[in-house]
Amino acid sequence: MSDFSSVLSPHEGEIHVIAAAQHIVKALGANKNLDDELRKILSQLDSHLSAMTVLTTESRGTGFREVEEQLKYAEEKIRGWESNQSLLWDSDEFDPLEASEFLKAIDEIQALIEGLRSLSVNGNRKQKELLNRADSILQMAMSRLEKETIHILVKHKQYFQPKNMSFRSCALDVLYDESFVSVEDIPSEEALQRNSREKESDEYIFDLVHPQVIPHLKSIANVMFGVNYGQEFCQAFIRVRRDALEEYLVILKVENFSIEDVLKMEWSSLNYEIKKWVRAMNIIIRYLASEKQLCDQILGDYGFVNPLCFVEISKGSLAHLLNFGEAIAMGTHEPEKLFRLLDMYEVVADNLLDIDALFSEEAGTAVRLEFHELLRSLGDSGRATFLKFGNAIAANASTRPFLGGGIHPLTKYVMNYIKTLTMYCNTLNVLLKDQEAADPNPVVEPENGQGVSSITHCQMACHFRSITATLESNLDSKSKLFKDGVLQHIFLMNNFHYMVRKVKSGELRLFFGDEWIKEHIVKYKQHAMSYERATWNSVLSFLKDGDSPGLCSASKAIRGFTIAFEEVYKNQTGWSIPDPELREDLQISTSQKVIHAYRSFMGRKSSSISEKYIRHSPDDLQNYILDLFNGSPRILHSSRKK
């Protein structure tokens, strides 16, 4: 709005100039094609010109009678609305004409104030009295507009509803302890949920206040800024919108924990809070894009005031999220925390460009820097946690052999852990780019340059192969706890087979490569053959001795074979081969070797063996072999009468 104070000095013909200006303004206002904003500006200009005419005339006389009359008229209008309990911009009773008259009265008062201050009669008692009175009336009107602003923002608030409110963490919890607390395969739907998770379109903006009241808010803002009450408008606007954002965090169930609270929290509770935090972070950034639009709509014409208000609205709630994230990054580096750390790192990284755009102005510099620092802290913590995971495998010691020689919990834990980590491949490759891994099974590029995935050569692949090599070394140490050397082979066969099955069954195959798989198939098959030789060669040796003249009679050979077989049965029914296919393969291999030898011997020596020494038929033995490796110790009773 132009400053017309210079024309208020008493010059010859200035009243005629003002009158001419008023005539032009009225002529322009009569144009039906004007938009509402321009029509409002012309109306305000007309009010100022009217005030100038009065003040110029009055300043040449001895009093301010007409000025006082105009002020009284404006005051009556302001006080009349002030005594009315209903609000001018109430949606049920909104009268555009009444609201316009209220704003026009404010403009008239401001014009009189500016005119009075510009007169050359400073020190005039009447002038000071009128100025104080006008200021008081203006302050009353501004107080009313603050209430109106708050009322509009609260009554017409709309709740943010993104297209997809559900956000699940990508990984199940992978836990380990010596009491066999472990997980099996990560359900495929969990992986699918993560792989199909798409960030909502940046173009999706929601109206946080009903669009129909935006012009009302802008009108109020224009009037309050026009009379130097912009700060009061901003304070009211910030207060309501800040409360709305904090209320939305409550809806998202995000609590305001101190750093000390987070560091003291039990993992089960902390794990739950992190999942909520990740989901909230993903949604709040979209919420803030809508909040930024609202600020632009209302305050976009006021330069640096707009980003300042947006930052004031946002920074309190963002501080809650930032403090929680920093507290997590400051925490200890237990391996079970890695997946949640990576979830947090990824959600910040995914939203960082949006954060930079939302807070691109100087007012938002601190917010931008805090999020970049949070990303760095989470990355450092994630890297340290991953490296500690490898060290924890090496340090995992046992004092007792694992019952039954089955798949050790550590093996399940490690393989499920790294299988889950494949979903974070890109992130971990970034975090570990400067961390060399001692890869005992480096992948050699074939001469034809084909058949090896680029993933097999990435940082994660090298670290995975290093981790499994550490696991193998640990398992070898654990196998030596078994007093029975044969059970050592069963234990290592089980665990190597489990590792191969995990690698072959999914994306881990791309990281390890076919050559690793072939080498480890050979390893578990070698242990299977070593088991067969160590167990059954000694049992079958009785039959070989029975075939050698002079060494052992046929009856004595059968008796020795039977005792040895029953001893194996008693021990090895309590041993465990959890994988049914592997168990069946070993049973079949054993059966072919043992039953064939037994049946052949019985056929050759049937005439020289006393019936009382034959306790089991070949078919009986075949059925007994099917009882082996089921993890339930049994004692074999004779199937024939002595």
Side-chain angles (χ1 to χ4, degrees):
M1 191 176 296
S2 301
D3 182 4
F4 293 94
S5 59
S6 60
V7 303
L8 294 175
S9 300
H11 298 291
E12 185 65 33
E14 67 181 350
I15 295 178
H16 297 292
V17 173
I18 296 172
Q22 269 189 294
H23 179 74
I24 294 171
V25 168
K26 289 184 183 297
L28 290 172
N31 188 339
K32 295 182 179 180
N33 295 324
L34 294 177
D35 60 33
D36 292 339
E37 191 66 25
L38 186 53
R39 194 177 301 280
K40 179 181 175 182
I41 293 172
L42 290 172
S43 176
Q44 292 172 340
L45 184 55
D46 183 49
S47 296
H48 276 262
L49 291 170
S50 297
M52 291 175 194
T53 302
V54 173
L55 289 165
T56 301
T57 303
E58 295 257 329
S59 65
R60 291 178 177 178
T62 58
F64 294 87
R65 183 178 52 79
E66 193 171 345
V67 174
E68 192 170 8
E69 286 296 322
Q70 284 200 3
L71 187 58
K72 182 179 179 182
Y73 175 71
E75 181 179 10
E76 287 175 353
K77 287 196 289 186
I78 297 295
R79 289 191 182 278
W81 279 306
E82 186 63 25
S83 63
N84 189 347
Q85 295 300 315
S86 64
L87 294 164
L88 288 168
W89 279 272
D90 190 284
S91 60
D92 298 329
E93 303 176 10
F94 175 63
D95 182 350
L97 183 60
E98 189 177 22
S100 178
E101 285 294 317
F102 183 80
L103 296 180
K104 185 177 180 181
I106 293 172
D107 197 59
E108 290 171 355
I109 294 170
Q110 179 63 10
L112 290 171
I113 291 173
E114 291 177 358
L116 285 166
R117 285 176 178 161
S118 68
L119 293 177
S120 57
V121 288
N122 293 331
N124 183 293
R125 186 174 60 82
K126 188 64 175 178
Q127 180 194 24
K128 290 182 179 179
E129 180 186 324
L130 291 173
L131 268 173
N132 290 337
R133 184 174 166 190
D135 283 334
S136 177
I137 297 169
L138 185 63
Q139 190 172 354
M140 182 190 304
M142 293 301 102
S143 178
R144 175 60 178 262
L145 287 184
E146 278 190 65
K147 293 177 182 177
E148 296 279 355
T149 299
I150 293 170
H151 169 75
I152 295 171
L153 288 169
V154 172
K155 183 162 186 175
H156 298 279
K157 176 177 65 176
Q158 298 189 139
Y159 285 96
F160 182 69
Q161 296 176 337
K163 294 177 183 177
N164 179 19
M165 283 286 287
S166 63
F167 177 85
R168 292 195 181 186
S169 179
C170 50
L172 290 179
D173 300 320
V174 183
L175 304 174
Y176 169 78
D177 65 33
E178 288 290 352
S179 63
F180 206 78
V181 179
S182 179
V183 298
E184 275 301 331
D185 294 337
I186 303 300
S188 58
E189 59 266 22
E190 290 287 336
L192 288 173
Q193 282 173 1
R194 184 176 196 273
N195 293 335
S196 64
R197 181 181 54 138
E198 295 180 358
K199 188 179 173 183
E200 291 177 23
S201 170
D202 293 338
E203 298 177 0
Y204 179 70
I205 304 291
F206 190 83
D207 292 314
L208 298 178
V209 174
H210 198 287
Q212 72 180 19
V213 301
I214 298 298
H216 306 330
L217 291 167
K218 289 185 70 174
S219 295
I220 294 173
N222 288 336
V223 169
M224 293 185 73
F225 273 89
V227 297
N228 298 320
Y229 275 78
Q231 182 177 355
E232 286 74 9
F233 177 85
C234 290
Q235 287 173 346
F237 183 80
I238 289 169
R239 185 165 65 251
V240 176
R241 294 310 309 158
R242 185 169 53 207
D243 290 348
L245 178 53
E246 291 178 355
E247 180 184 349
Y248 194 65
L249 282 177
V250 173
I251 292 173
L252 294 176
K253 299 181 180 179
V254 175
E255 296 185 47
N256 183 19
F257 295 108
S258 68
I259 291 178
E260 291 75 16
D261 290 337
V262 175
L263 293 176
K264 293 177 182 177
M265 203 174 290
E266 294 291 331
W267 171 242
S268 59
S269 300
L270 191 59
N271 185 29
Y272 178 63
E273 294 300 330
I274 292 174
K275 291 179 183 179
K276 291 194 297 182
W277 185 93
V278 170
R279 177 175 177 269
M281 182 65 75
N282 227 23
I283 294 173
I284 285 297
I285 301 306
R286 277 145 202 76
Y287 179 100
L288 289 178
S290 297
E291 192 71 62
K292 184 72 163 63
Q293 173 188 260
L294 180 61
C295 288
D296 290 342
Q297 289 173 330
I298 307 302
L299 300 167
D301 296 333
Y302 302 108
F304 69 91
V305 171
N306 179 19
L308 276 175
C309 288
F310 176 66
V311 170
E312 287 299 314
I313 291 167
S314 310
K315 68 180 184 181
S317 294
L318 290 181
H320 298 172
L321 296 171
L322 285 162
N323 287 342
F324 183 87
E326 286 293 347
I328 296 298
M330 290 167 56
T332 54
H333 300 142
E334 283 84 359
E336 65 265 21
K337 293 182 180 179
L338 179 59
F339 303 106
R340 300 294 169 246
L341 278 167
L342 294 176
D343 284 341
M344 294 176 74
Y345 179 91
E346 287 189 347
V347 80
V348 175
D350 288 346
N351 286 290
L352 202 58
L353 287 177
D354 290 335
I355 291 168
D356 286 344
L358 287 169
F359 299 94
S360 59
E361 294 90 347
E362 185 179 353
T365 300
V367 175
R368 291 199 313 274
L369 292 177
E370 285 177 324
F371 272 101
H372 281 269
E373 177 60 22
L374 175 60
L375 185 69
R376 185 197 63 76
S377 298
L378 290 171
D380 289 347
S381 186
R383 184 186 306 108
T385 303
F386 178 83
L387 296 175
K388 186 174 180 180
F389 167 63
N391 296 332
I393 298 168
N396 182 274
S398 299
T399 57
R400 298 178 181 178
F402 185 62
L403 185 64
I407 303 165
H408 198 277
L410 181 65
T411 306
K412 291 185 175 184
Y413 170 67
V414 171
M415 297 310 295
N416 280 307
Y417 196 100
I418 64 174
K419 182 178 180 180
T420 307
L421 284 177
T422 60
M423 296 187 286
Y424 300 92
C425 176
N426 293 335
T427 297
L428 281 168
N429 278 334
V430 170
L431 296 180
L432 298 169
K433 64 181 179 181
D434 297 324
Q435 301 291 327
E436 295 296 328
D439 185 358
N441 301 97
V443 176
V444 180
E445 191 78 40
E447 292 182 5
N448 59 10
Q450 297 178 348
V452 176
S453 167
S454 60
I455 297 177
T456 314
H457 294 283
C458 73
Q459 279 292 101
M460 279 305 302
C462 296
H463 280 280
F464 281 174
R465 292 191 291 268
S466 176
I467 286 169
T468 52
T470 303
L471 173 62
E472 289 175 38
S473 177
N474 188 290
L475 290 171
D476 187 64
S477 298
K478 285 177 170 27
S479 72
K480 292 178 171 55
L481 296 171
F482 294 102
K483 293 180 180 179
D484 190 331
V486 179
L487 187 51
Q488 292 180 18
H489 293 300
I490 291 294
F491 175 75
L492 291 173
M493 177 195 70
N494 275 327
N495 285 272
F496 285 143
H497 178 268
Y498 181 86
M499 292 167 68
V500 170
R501 182 165 65 84
K502 281 290 180 181
V503 170
K504 287 175 66 177
S505 65
E507 289 190 6
L508 279 178
R509 187 177 199 129
L510 298 175
F511 291 86
F512 283 84
D514 290 341
E515 194 60 35
W516 185 96
I517 293 173
K518 291 176 184 177
E519 289 177 7
H520 285 74
I521 287 175
V522 169
K523 284 187 178 182
Y524 80 72
K525 285 188 174 181
Q526 284 177 338
H527 285 293
M529 288 188 292
S530 295
Y531 154 77
E532 287 187 353
R533 286 196 298 267
T535 298
W536 297 109
N537 284 358
S538 61
V539 175
L540 295 176
S541 66
F542 288 100
L543 301 182
K544 290 181 180 179
D545 290 346
D547 273 334
S548 301
L551 289 179
C552 180
S553 68
S555 294
K556 190 175 180 180
I558 285 294
R559 184 171 180 273
F561 170 87
T562 300
I563 292 172
F565 183 92
E566 290 178 355
E567 185 65 23
V568 168
Y569 182 90
K570 181 179 72 173
N571 290 332
Q572 296 190 10
T573 51
W575 294 358
S576 175
I577 301 180
D579 185 85
E581 185 177 341
L582 180 63
R583 183 170 64 247
E584 184 179 355
D585 286 346
L586 196 57
Q587 287 170 341
I588 291 173
S589 176
T590 299
S591 180
Q592 289 174 343
K593 186 173 186 178
V594 174
I595 304 306
H596 174 74
Y598 185 74
R599 183 175 277 116
S600 296
F601 185 83
M602 293 290 288
R604 292 192 307 274
K605 303 290 185 177
S606 60
S607 60
S608 57
I609 301 174
S610 173
E611 184 70 21
K612 69 178 181 178
Y613 291 111
I614 303 174
R615 299 176 64 179
H616 312 294
S617 70
D619 289 341
D620 292 334
L621 293 182
Q622 188 159 343
N623 289 330
Y624 297 149
I625 288 172
L626 296 178
D627 290 337
L628 301 180
F629 317 123
N630 283 304
S632 301
R634 299 183 186 183
I635 297 176
L636 186 60
H637 298 285
S638 173
S639 57
R640 297 188 178 192
K641 293 181 180 180
K642 295 182 180 179

